[in-house]
C-alpha cells in the first residue's frame, strides 16, 4: 500500500516535470507551481505582475531556448504586443516545427514577420505552444522588451542536445535547406517529415530566414 502510494506520487511527479520549459528568454514564472498548469491557455496560468521577469530582445528577433521533455512535439511560437496580458496574434512560426528528441532546442534567432517592426523599448510576450500525440496543447510564456541594445545568445550559450532534431511542417514540399550537408540528410526522399539536426538547418520563421545555429 505504502509503496503503491509512493509509486503513484512518483509517477505524478514525473508527469508534472515532463512538458517543457523556456530556458531563454526567462520564463514569466514557474509553470509547474501550484495553481499553474501548462494545459491552460495562454500562459499556463502564471500570473503577470509588475515584477515579472522581462528580458531584452533584439529589434530583429532574438534567441529562444527550450528544454523539451517529451519524445516529440509540434512547436509554435507566437508574439503578443503590450505589457500586461497581451493577445498572441502574431505568429513567429508561419510554418510550424516538428521536433523530435527530448532535450535543449536553441534557436539563435527567431525572426519577426516583415510586416512588424518593433520600436525600441516596446514590451511584448512570447508564447511557446507545443502539441503532442494527444492533440492537447501546452503553453509557456516569456516576457520581453525589444531593445536596440539587446543581442542574440552567443554560440556557446545556444547549443542543442545532440538528439534534438527539427523539421518544418509543410503539406507539400520540403522547405528546409541544409546550411551544411549533414549525414542525417542522406536519406532525402522529398518528404516534408524528413528530420535534420537543428544545427544544420535554416528555417523560415516569421517570414524571414532565421538560422538555427548551435
Ligand atoms: Cu508533459
Amino acid at each position: 500500500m505504502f509503496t503503491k502510494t509512493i509509486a503513484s506520487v512518483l509517477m505524478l511527479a514525473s508527469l508534472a516535470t515532463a512538458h517543457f520549459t523556456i530556458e531563454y528568454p526567462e520564463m514569466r514564472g514557474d509553470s509547474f507551481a501550484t495553481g499553474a498548469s501548462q494545459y491552460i491557455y495562454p500562459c499556463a496560468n502564471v500570473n503577470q505582475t509588475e515584477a515579472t521577469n522581462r528580458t531584452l530582445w533584439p529589434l530583429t528577433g532574438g534567441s529562444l531556448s527550450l528544454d523539451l521533455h517529451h519524445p516529440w512535439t509540434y512547436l509554435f511560437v507566437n508574439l503578443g504586443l503590450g505589457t500586461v496580458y497581451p493577445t498572441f496574434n502574431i505568429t513567429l512560426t508561419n510554418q510550424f516545427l516538428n521536433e523530435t528528441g527530448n532535450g535543449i532546442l536553441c534557436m539563435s534567432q527567431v525572426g519577426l514577420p516583415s510586416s512588424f517592426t518593433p520600436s525600441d523599448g516596446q514590451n511584448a510576450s512570447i508564447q511557446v505552444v507545443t502539441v503532442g500525440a494527444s492533440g492537447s496543447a501546452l503553453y509557456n510564456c516569456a516576457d520581453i522588451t525589444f531593445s536596440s541594445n539587446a543581442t542574440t545568445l552567443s554560440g556557446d550559450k545556444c547549443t542543442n542536445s545532440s538528439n534534438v532534431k527539427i523539421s518544418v511542417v509543410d503539406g507539400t514540399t520540403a522547405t528546409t535547406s541544409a546550411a551544411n550537408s549533414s549525414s542525417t540528410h542522406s536519406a532525402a526522399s522529398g518528404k516534408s517529415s524528413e528530420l535534420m539536426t537543428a544545427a544544420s538547418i535554416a528555417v523560415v520563421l516569421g517570414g524571414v530566414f532565421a538560422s538555427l545555429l548551435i
Side-chain angles (χ1 to χ4, degrees):
M1 181 63 175
F2 178 73
T3 43
K4 231 180 192 173
T5 308
I6 293 293
S8 308
V9 167
L10 286 176
M11 196 158 195
L12 281 172
S14 69
L15 281 174
T17 53
H19 302 342
F20 77 101
T21 57
I22 303 174
E23 297 296 300
Y24 186 89
E26 193 173 350
M27 281 214 298
R28 176 176 296 175
D30 182 5
S31 58
F32 294 109
T34 304
S37 167
Q38 293 185 16
Y39 289 111
I40 301 174
Y41 179 91
C43 294
N45 207 34
V46 175
N47 290 334
Q48 192 177 34
T49 68
E50 289 291 316
T52 293
N53 310 312
R54 210 167 262 288
T55 304
L56 297 183
W57 228 52
L59 298 174
T60 50
S63 304
L64 177 66
S65 182
L66 308 175
D67 191 349
L68 301 158
H69 302 161
H70 289 190
W72 69 272
T73 191
Y74 291 131
L75 182 64
F76 309 77
V77 184
N78 299 313
L79 185 72
L81 302 180
T83 302
V84 181
Y85 296 113
T87 302
F88 294 97
N89 56 355
I90 298 174
T91 180
L92 301 185
T93 45
N94 271 325
Q95 292 163 294
F96 63 96
L97 305 174
N98 181 355
E99 184 278 337
T100 306
N102 59 327
I104 300 289
L105 169 66
C106 188
M107 293 174 268
S108 65
Q109 187 170 34
V110 177
L112 303 175
S114 54
S115 56
F116 168 64
T117 305
S119 55
D120 202 357
Q122 183 172 11
N123 286 341
S125 297
I126 293 167
Q127 178 197 48
V128 179
V129 186
T130 67
V131 179
S134 69
S136 59
L138 299 171
Y139 305 94
N140 273 313
C141 296
D143 301 303
I144 60 168
T145 300
F146 286 106
S147 170
S148 57
N149 295 323
T151 55
T152 56
L153 290 177
S154 58
D156 59 328
K157 294 212 171 69
C158 192
T159 59
N160 294 297
S161 299
S162 57
N163 59 324
V164 167
K165 298 180 186 344
I166 62 169
S167 62
V168 169
V169 176
D170 181 292
T172 51
T173 55
T175 54
T176 47
S177 61
N180 55 52
S181 50
S182 104
S183 56
T184 57
H185 202 205
S186 58
S189 64
K191 275 174 55 194
S192 60
S193 57
E194 176 189 352
L195 295 178
M196 292 180 229
T197 61
S200 69
I201 74 167
V203 129
V204 181
L205 292 173
V208 300
F209 277 94
S211 295
L212 303 179
L213 302 173
I214 59 168

